[in-house]
Amino acid sequence: AAKILEALRKREWHVPNLKSFTMILIAYTLLFSTALFMNNTLNAYPTAELVEVLQTPQGEGAILASEHYTPYIHYYTGMPSVQRSTLTIEEEASLTLLWESQRLARSVTLLDSFDTSYVLLDEKQISGDRSGLVFLLDNTNTFTRKYSSDNWELWQVKQ
């Protein structure tokens, strides 16, 4: 990057104002991208509430959650999580079916096939369309709510 800036500075410009405009544009781009990065870093996970949720699970089995919570699940619980990136095509199809299915027997069978002990829901899943597995969590006796807030729900699968 420094070599490119130096080349732009040393280059002979036919329109001097264009050179000034280009350098100012590059400076502001660097400034705003740094500010955006700092903002995103400060607002990044894990939040204190997520850490609190992840201190709840105990025992064996995996935690079913959104893929981007996987590192936090491993770090704070020591338990595995169901990860799309490690599944075969058939298992990935089963995982999609699990989230969408409203048939309790099928969902329990699929949860067992992934050795799932807990289901972690984030704010989007809680406030969104409560269908499929999310509907079953609320409306059957097969699951026990272990943690609940506006942003997180943790459900244990009864074995």
Side-chain angles (χ1 to χ4, degrees):
K3 287 182 180 182
I4 293 172
L5 285 174
E6 186 64 21
L8 285 173
R9 192 179 68 75
K10 287 183 177 180
R11 181 178 177 181
E12 188 175 318
W13 293 77
H14 295 289
V15 182
N17 289 339
L18 184 59
K19 177 182 179 181
S20 299
F21 178 74
T22 302
M23 292 304 203
I24 289 170
L25 185 65
I26 291 171
Y28 276 116
T29 301
L30 292 172
L31 177 70
F32 287 121
S33 63
T34 302
L36 181 64
F37 174 76
M38 289 172 47
N39 182 47
N40 287 342
T41 302
L42 291 173
N43 294 326
Y45 285 101
T47 61
E49 191 176 14
L50 177 57
V51 172
E52 183 181 337
V53 173
L54 293 177
Q55 291 173 344
T56 306
Q58 298 174 348
E60 301 294 318
I63 298 176
L64 178 62
S66 235
E67 182 86 14
H68 58 276
Y69 301 119
T70 297
Y72 310 117
I73 290 170
H74 289 292
Y75 182 80
Y76 289 104
T77 67
M79 298 170 73
S81 64
V82 180
Q83 300 177 45
R84 281 191 188 275
S85 58
T86 62
L87 301 177
T88 65
I89 293 172
E90 294 82 16
E91 290 171 330
E92 192 170 334
S94 294
L95 183 60
T96 301
L97 181 63
L98 171 61
W99 282 109
E100 295 172 357
S101 176
Q102 288 190 347
R103 294 178 57 197
L104 181 60
R106 178 187 297 165
S107 295
V108 169
T109 302
L110 291 170
L111 285 167
D112 287 342
S113 73
F114 291 114
D115 190 30
T116 305
S117 298
Y118 292 92
V119 179
L120 177 66
L121 302 178
D122 62 15
E123 183 179 14
K124 288 179 185 176
Q125 294 165 314
I126 294 169
S127 62
D129 182 23
R130 293 191 75 90
S131 62
L133 181 61
V134 179
F135 174 81
L136 293 175
L137 293 171
D138 261 336
N139 296 296
T140 64
N141 294 328
T142 308
F143 307 96
T144 306
R145 182 181 287 148
K146 291 294 189 178
Y147 185 95
S148 180
S149 72
D150 291 340
N151 301 319
W152 302 99
E153 285 184 9
L154 182 69
W155 293 82
Q156 183 175 21
V157 180
K158 292 180 183 175
Q159 299 296 336

